[in-house]
Amino acid sequence: KEYYLVKWKGWPESSNTWEPQKNLKCPKLLENFLSDKDEYLSRMKEGKALKVRNSVKALKPAVADYIVKKAKQRIALQRWKEELNRKKNHKGMILVENTVDLEGPPIDFYYINEYKPAPGINVINGITTGCECSDCPAEKCCPKEAGFILAYNKRKKLKIQPGLPIYECNSFCRCGPDCPNRIVQKGTQYSLCIFRTNNGRGWGVKTLQKIKTNSFVMEYVGEVITSEEAERRGQFYDNQGNTYLFDLDYDSDEFTVDAARYGNVSHFVNHSCDPNLQVFNVFIDNLDLRLPRIALFSTRTIKAGEELTFDYQMKGSIDLTSDSADGLSPSRKRIRTVCKCGAVCCRGYLN
């Protein structure tokens, strides 16, 4: 008979027991066990799928160790997925997937839905007025008051060119939640998957739904810090080869967003020299030109299952030294990092 060493839920490993398959009332766990075993053996034999022969009395320690680590990783990623979905405040679901290696959830990352300002920085400037429109956009709607055109068309898709700001209706406007000028503030509408890339770029993000051209996809959030603090942190991050600094340089360069420890799904979006997302500056409840919100819109139709990327050298975007978003102002560029985006037009380096 075949026997399986069973770890009982809620019991210490000292209580593990050997059980025949007839005692296993966990078909999904057994399926994962056999799949993990065959995957490991296939890798050891250069892709040739193998089965353990009946004459084999026990799995080799390396195989058993891999299966245990894979099972623990699966549990950790499932818990992380549940935590992400508890914390997010938008419609789209967040999935997590790693079929590449044994990497688990990031240890020092905390999911947030909006900017986390450092002491002394006010990301909401106490706006006390809004438009009086009953049906936006009208002559006195928010974009017109700011001297710009409405950013969206009747289908709620972006219609302005990159570099132009987006002024959405705010919490003091008379219009309701269905106003066509309330897009970014509603958050991500698409289900997305944080997945492990197979070419050394760490984690990435792919969409699980089709995204049409000029659609809002996600917002880039993190800690809002001064540029002086960003300079200090940048030097520390350089030693780790890992930083997520995004300069808010729409009007000046006084502030930076640091998504290293606090961020949302955008923390995991990778760079591409031929991206499918574009950066836009957005103003809603804060009209301070030094503190725009950063929104990512699709540049073309994106198929379900396709990875989401943006160019870290875009205006108002970032220039990275790690495998995910990490923006450095020209004065902080130190290391030329090889680009792994694989695009035909790849520039060869991230900076």
Side-chain angles (χ1 to χ4, degrees), residues 103 195-197 199-205 241-244 266-271 307 312 320-326 337-338 340 350:
E103 187 74 15
F195 74 103
R196 196 71 177 168
T197 63
N199 61 351
R201 292 178 298 128
W203 295 99
V205 179
N242 185 22
T243 174
Y244 298 77
S266 64
H267 168 101
F268 302 97
V269 175
N270 280 310
H271 161 86
E307 182 176 0
Y312 294 159
L320 218 127
T321 58
S322 73
D323 60 3
S324 289
D326 163 25
T337 305
V338 175
K340 300 178 182 178
L350 294 181

Side-chain angles (χ1 to χ4, degrees), residues 126-268:
I127 188 171
T128 57
T129 183
C131 70
E132 299 291 325
C133 311
S134 58
D135 184 21
C136 299
E139 288 298 322
K140 295 294 184 179
C141 199
C142 299
K144 296 285 183 65
E145 287 292 311
F148 295 93
I149 64 171
L150 182 73
Y152 311 113
N153 61 25
K154 294 180 179 180
R155 302 189 311 277
K156 300 185 179 181
K157 305 301 180 186
L158 199 68
K159 68 178 183 180
I160 62 173
Q161 296 298 312
L164 292 176
I166 298 172
Y167 282 85
E168 291 197 357
C169 291
N170 61 58
S171 54
F172 283 90
C173 294
R174 291 186 60 183
C175 52
D178 294 329
C179 167
N181 195 32
R182 297 182 184 270
I183 303 297
V184 172
Q185 59 195 264
K186 291 184 177 180
T188 300
Q189 301 296 299
Y190 304 99
S191 291
L192 306 174
C193 179
I194 300 170
F195 74 103
R196 196 71 177 168
T197 63
N198 59 8
N199 61 351
R201 292 178 298 128
W203 295 99
V205 179
K206 61 184 176 182
T207 176
L208 300 177
Q209 300 172 251
K210 178 182 176 181
I211 300 176
K212 294 182 179 180
T213 308
N214 296 327
S215 298
F216 169 66
V217 179
M218 69 180 74
E219 193 172 349
Y220 191 93
V221 301
E223 290 183 89
V224 179
I225 58 177
T226 64
S227 295
E228 291 78 11
E229 173 64 12
E231 180 71 28
R232 187 190 69 78
R233 292 189 187 187
Q235 295 177 8
F236 173 74
Y237 291 152
D238 278 352
N239 295 328
Q240 299 179 322
N242 185 22
T243 174
Y244 298 77
L245 299 173
F246 192 129
D247 291 333
L248 298 179
D249 56 1
Y250 172 70
D251 184 63
S252 64
D253 57 357
E254 292 184 44
F255 301 108
T256 296
V257 176
D258 182 1
R261 296 186 67 211
Y262 298 92
N264 62 2
V265 176
S266 64
H267 168 101
F268 302 97

Side-chain angles (χ1 to χ4, degrees), residues 7-26:
K7 165 70 171 67
W8 295 97
K9 187 174 182 179
W11 291 81
E13 292 194 9
S14 59
S15 300
N16 290 359
T17 59
W18 288 93
E19 303 290 339
Q21 186 170 345
K22 68 177 184 179
N23 289 357
L24 302 182
K25 309 301 181 184
C26 48

